[in-house]
Amino acid sequence: ASAWAPVASGNNHRGGGGGAAASPSSCRPIQSRSATALAGSMPPLTSHYDEHLPLARDAMKFIDDSPDPFHAVKSASDGLEDAGFVEWKDDGGEDGSPALVPGGKYYFVRNKSTLVAFAVGSNYEPGSGFKIIGSHTDSPNLKVKPFSKRTTTKDGGASGAIQLAVECYGGGLWHTWFDRDLGISGRVFVRDGETGKIRQELVKFDQAILRIPNLAIHLQTAAEREAFKINKEDHLAPIIATVVKDSLDRNNDSKDE
């Protein structure tokens, strides 16, 4: 199982002495008076956007349903079945798997983490060759360790909280995981209460049940602050929406004329 980030948090830790500190919400131009006035002069969205929205929504649903490799395989398998593919198992046909015939479309799953789909050409003949397209289903995440419950600090003292022991998987942008609402998803092994056999099950908690908090600035050492160092002039410059930028440019051109 692994932790994943379904929702970005709008909270921020304010540090330093006196004075006002800007929150992320103040970087939303649609909330400002000038942006509200500008909205009336922005060009309407043309109809061609609607043509791409169904595909975009399908992609968003797939991403939401596939926070880990196991769920990605399940989502892709469901999509293949909707497209007419039939599940096939390479065990000699003992389980009733369909026979491979020209024009057929099939898929099979290994270990709930690998998916292979293939289609046999209608005019296929032995020796005529084949094409392969490959991809991966994994992505950077925080993998929950087998013995994951942590209630003490490194020096053995009580932390007053329950933490999950995790390990980094892949080359993630780990600083983006701080101060975000996190859920848990993945594969677990459970023992059947009636048969006593071990089986695999998929779990996915969409609720925000975990968080990796940033430490308040007054409790950080200089070395810890250096580890999260950013260039204040370059890295904190917000990117304005393209449609708003185009409208601002047009308004400025009209004033110049």
Side-chain angles (χ1 to χ4, degrees):
S2 59
W4 67 291
V7 181
S9 171
N11 295 335
N12 71 315
H13 290 279
R14 301 181 179 181
S23 68
S25 61
S26 63
C27 293
R28 298 175 185 170
I30 197 62
Q31 293 181 351
S32 66
R33 293 183 179 179
S34 58
T36 303
L38 179 63
S41 61
M42 282 194 287
L45 294 178
T46 54
S47 59
H48 73 273
Y49 282 96
D50 296 334
E51 299 174 5
H52 305 291
L53 285 177
L55 178 61
R57 291 194 177 100
D58 285 345
M60 291 166 62
K61 185 178 186 306
F62 180 84
I63 294 173
D64 288 340
D65 293 341
S66 311
D68 56 78
F70 310 103
H71 281 87
V73 168
K74 178 66 169 59
S75 298
S77 298
D78 293 342
L80 288 171
E81 291 191 355
D82 292 340
F85 282 72
V86 180
E87 185 175 9
W88 178 80
K89 297 182 180 179
D90 55 344
D91 58 1
E94 297 179 358
D95 64 337
S97 292
L100 302 183
V101 297
K105 299 187 294 185
Y106 312 91
Y107 77 92
F108 65 89
V109 175
R110 288 284 183 85
N111 200 36
K112 291 187 180 296
S113 60
T114 300
L115 171 65
V116 177
F118 60 97
V120 182
S122 300
N123 299 321
Y124 174 79
E125 294 181 0
S128 59
F130 53 87
K131 297 179 180 179
I132 297 177
I133 299 176
S135 183
H136 62 87
T137 59
D138 59 340
S139 58
N141 61 71
L142 298 179
K143 299 190 71 172
V144 179
K145 294 182 178 180
F147 298 96
S148 57
K149 185 177 181 180
R150 275 177 37 176
T151 57
T152 58
T153 59
K154 289 185 177 180
D155 58 6
S159 64
I162 299 177
Q163 293 180 286
L164 285 181
V166 297
E167 59 179 313
C168 294
Y169 177 84
L173 298 175
W174 304 122
H175 64 279
T176 66
W177 288 69
F178 283 78
D179 294 329
R180 301 187 68 173
D181 294 329
L182 302 176
I184 294 180
S185 71
R187 178 186 62 178
V188 296
F189 293 85
V190 297
R191 185 184 300 277
D192 190 293
E194 297 181 357
T195 64
K197 295 182 177 181
I198 302 296
R199 69 174 189 273
Q200 302 180 37
E201 296 288 348
L202 300 184
V203 296
K204 181 171 176 284
F205 297 97
D206 292 325
Q207 298 88 345
I209 58 176
L210 301 171
R211 178 172 284 255
I212 307 173
N214 259 309
L215 192 62
I217 190 171
H218 300 92
L219 301 178
Q220 293 180 356
T221 64
E224 289 172 334
R225 290 195 294 271
E226 184 72 17
F228 279 79
K229 186 176 181 180
I230 61 172
N231 184 308
K232 298 177 182 178
E233 294 296 328
D234 295 334
H235 299 159
L236 291 179
I239 299 175
I240 192 169
T242 305
V243 174
V244 177
K245 176 184 177 298
D246 292 342
S247 297
L248 287 171
D249 290 341
R250 281 194 297 272
N251 289 341
N252 289 333
D253 293 340
S254 298
K255 291 180 180 179
D256 292 339
E257 294 176 359

